[in-house]
Amino acid sequence: MDVRQVDERASVIDITGELTGDSEQTLAEAHDAASAPATRLIVLNFSGLEYMNSTGIGLLVTMLIRAQRQGQRIVAYGLDEHYRQIFSLTRLDEAIGIVGSEADALAAA
Amino acid sequence: MSLEPNATPPPSTVPPAAPRSDADAWARPIARLRVDAAAAGSLPATVEGRRLAGPLQGFGQMWQKTFRVRLAGAGPEVTPQSVIAAWKQHFPEFWPSGNTFYAPLAGIRPGEVGLLSVKTAGPVRLHTGVMVTYADDESFTLMTPEGHMLAGWITFSAFRDHDGVVVAQSQALERTSDPLFELGYALRIGHRANNRFWEQTLEAVARHHGVDARCETTVLCVDRRRQWRYAGNVRHSVAFRSALHAATTPLRWLRRSR
């Protein structure tokens, strides 16, 4: 996972490969790296996601709670139809905004 | 070209590992749950037409509860895949006595709905259900509908520990659904009952594989905040319909005996 600090208020985490229970520490470290004191928006880029199981979805929930505690919003882009359906099934899309592109996500900052 | 039995094939002939796919493991999204067939003793009305509710839609504090048993001493035929296959097949049998899981006819498969009935500290049995949202060879996940005591999901999995021993695990990410059940959790009654339920279940899984093991429990509070905007979930609570069902049981007996 790569972390890009766009400006002092927004960061992007590029999620690549698999998102499973093995990703717990990596995702937590990526969130830490993405979080500066003034960060208010975390953008998750899922365009490199290849595999996600239900534990992976759980990691996103716990990351969301951590972000909310720090006063951050989370927005996602790059989800294909399959992963959009999983966000809908688990009702994660009610808490994480899904947009079409990084530009749209950053516009939410 | 032939290779000696123990020869290592040249790199160019090693087929690349096929990328894993989760396409068939997830259920399709649904607007409302449907119960196609209900076993005697279940109460499908507590599930029919309800939406799924995850840990983000519940009321109470959010908990991550992990229950594990190490299958140390199990035979070599016991693998993570065989543990999950047995767990899917015998899921209702592993529950503590007095509680019933009405497994879906098609088994534990993505999209299937199972009904359940669990005993409580009082005279009323709680009737509700779950949907299988994810299932593969190494894990499966059940998610709760609106009205269930808990809003969240629980994942059953098996894996090899660092020393090669197979571990069976269930991990829940959940909140209580409404203030009524949260009160029970705040008083620790709900926590104790819930933890004991899954500890007994995991120990039954271990016994099935010939292992007498104690369950290790780890409880982590993920979010201390209560979500007051979901306090209205209480209107869906299965406690009311289950209590009504219990209160009208004598009437149903009379009707059947006429």
Side-chain angles (χ1 to χ4, degrees), chain A residues 18 20 51-54 57-58 61-62 64-65 68-69 82-83 85-86 88-92 94-95, chain B residues 20-23 26-29 51-52 56-57 62 131 134 136 141 143 153 155 173 175 222-223 225:
Chain A
E18 301 194 350
T20 67
Y51 178 94
M52 178 169 65
N53 63 15
S54 54
I57 277 282
V61 171
T62 51
L64 174 69
I65 299 296
Q68 288 175 341
R69 215 180 288 145
H82 172 59
Y83 291 116
Q85 288 188 352
I86 293 168
S88 169
L89 172 74
T90 55
R91 297 182 67 181
L92 199 55
E94 294 177 16
Chain B
R20 287 207 288 179
S21 170
D22 57 29
W26 285 97
R28 304 237 173 270
R51 301 172 72 195
L52 288 170
L56 297 172
Q57 285 79 39
M62 191 189 292
M131 178 174 147
Y134 182 92
D136 65 17
T141 299
M143 188 169 171
W153 52 69
T155 297
L173 190 61
R175 298 178 187 270
V222 176
D223 188 8
R225 294 170 306 169

Side-chain angles (χ1 to χ4, degrees), chain B residues 3-70:
Chain B
L3 291 169
E4 294 297 314
N6 294 324
T8 304
S12 60
T13 64
V14 178
R20 287 207 288 179
S21 170
D22 57 29
D24 296 329
W26 285 97
R28 304 237 173 270
I30 44 142
R32 305 266 168 189
L33 290 169
R34 290 207 44 196
V35 182
D36 293 328
S42 64
L43 195 52
T46 55
V47 173
E48 180 74 40
R50 303 286 177 99
R51 301 172 72 195
L52 288 170
L56 297 172
Q57 285 79 39
F59 169 78
Q61 297 177 322
M62 191 189 292
W63 299 90
Q64 181 177 279
K65 295 183 171 187
T66 308
F67 307 92
R68 281 182 183 174
V69 283
R70 281 170 51 83

Side-chain angles (χ1 to χ4, degrees), chain B residues 41 43 51-52 54 92 102 107 124-125 139 164 169 177 182 186 204 216 226 233:
Chain B
L43 195 52
R51 301 172 72 195
L52 288 170
Y102 305 95
V124 176
R125 294 177 66 79
S139 69
Q169 169 179 292
S177 289
E182 179 64 2
E216 299 165 20
R226 296 185 171 91
N233 285 352

Side-chain angles (χ1 to χ4, degrees), chain B residues 30-218:
Chain B
I30 44 142
R32 305 266 168 189
L33 290 169
R34 290 207 44 196
V35 182
D36 293 328
S42 64
L43 195 52
T46 55
V47 173
E48 180 74 40
R50 303 286 177 99
R51 301 172 72 195
L52 288 170
L56 297 172
Q57 285 79 39
F59 169 78
Q61 297 177 322
M62 191 189 292
W63 299 90
Q64 181 177 279
K65 295 183 171 187
T66 308
F67 307 92
R68 281 182 183 174
V69 283
R70 281 170 51 83
L71 305 180
E77 73 285 1
V78 176
T79 63
Q81 291 78 11
S82 74
V83 170
I84 290 303
W87 211 339
K88 287 176 181 171
Q89 190 181 349
H90 301 283
F91 190 79
E93 299 159 38
F94 296 144
W95 276 26
S97 63
N99 304 284
T100 309
F101 183 77
Y102 305 95
L105 292 176
I108 305 282
R109 295 173 58 178
E112 295 294 328
V113 174
L115 300 175
L116 59 95
S117 148
V118 294
K119 61 183 180 185
T120 64
V124 176
R125 294 177 66 79
L126 292 176
H127 298 266
T128 180
V130 286
M131 178 174 147
V132 184
T133 53
Y134 182 92
D136 65 17
D137 291 345
E138 294 178 357
S139 69
F140 58 99
T141 299
L142 307 178
M143 188 169 171
T144 57
E146 292 170 330
H148 191 289
M149 302 72 86
L150 299 164
W153 52 69
I154 183 163
T155 297
F156 305 89
S157 60
F159 57 90
R160 282 196 189 277
D161 219 343
H162 52 86
D163 56 0
V165 170
V166 175
V167 177
Q169 169 179 292
S170 72
Q171 185 173 64
L173 190 61
E174 63 197 18
R175 298 178 187 270
T176 53
S177 289
D178 61 56
L180 205 62
F181 288 119
E182 179 64 2
L183 182 63
Y185 261 54
L187 295 172
R188 299 282 150 190
I189 302 164
H191 268 304
R192 267 201 304 272
N194 180 264
N195 293 355
R196 195 68 205 116
F197 184 99
W198 290 115
E199 285 161 0
Q200 289 179 342
T201 298
L202 267 289
E203 286 164 8
V205 170
R207 278 196 301 278
H208 178 82
H209 294 286
V211 176
D212 190 15
R214 269 301 279 255
C215 179
E216 299 165 20
T217 302
T218 309

Side-chain angles (χ1 to χ4, degrees), chain A:
Chain A
M1 280 177 213
D2 291 328
V3 176
R4 293 179 279 132
Q5 198 121 27
V6 178
D7 57 36
E8 61 174 10
R9 296 180 61 81
S11 295
V12 180
I13 301 176
D14 298 313
I15 294 175
T16 52
E18 301 194 350
L19 191 56
T20 67
D22 293 337
S23 318
E24 183 171 10
Q25 196 177 343
T26 310
L27 190 62
E29 287 171 358
H31 182 232
D32 286 346
S35 300
T39 304
R40 291 292 166 266
L41 179 70
I42 302 286
V43 177
L44 300 180
N45 169 16
F46 285 99
S47 45
L49 180 64
E50 294 169 358
Y51 178 94
M52 178 169 65
N53 63 15
S54 54
T55 308
I57 277 282
L59 294 182
L60 294 177
V61 171
T62 51
M63 181 185 172
L64 174 69
I65 299 296
R66 220 171 27 240
Q68 288 175 341
R69 215 180 288 145
Q70 296 177 35
Q72 300 166 342
R73 286 178 58 208
I74 294 190
V75 176
Y77 78 95
L79 289 157
D80 65 19
E81 184 55 27
H82 172 59
Y83 291 116
R84 278 180 186 249
Q85 288 188 352
I86 293 168
F87 270 53
S88 169
L89 172 74
T90 55
R91 297 182 67 181
L92 199 55
D93 58 354
E94 294 177 16
I96 294 181
I98 299 174
V99 295
S101 67
E102 187 167 316
D104 292 342
L106 293 172

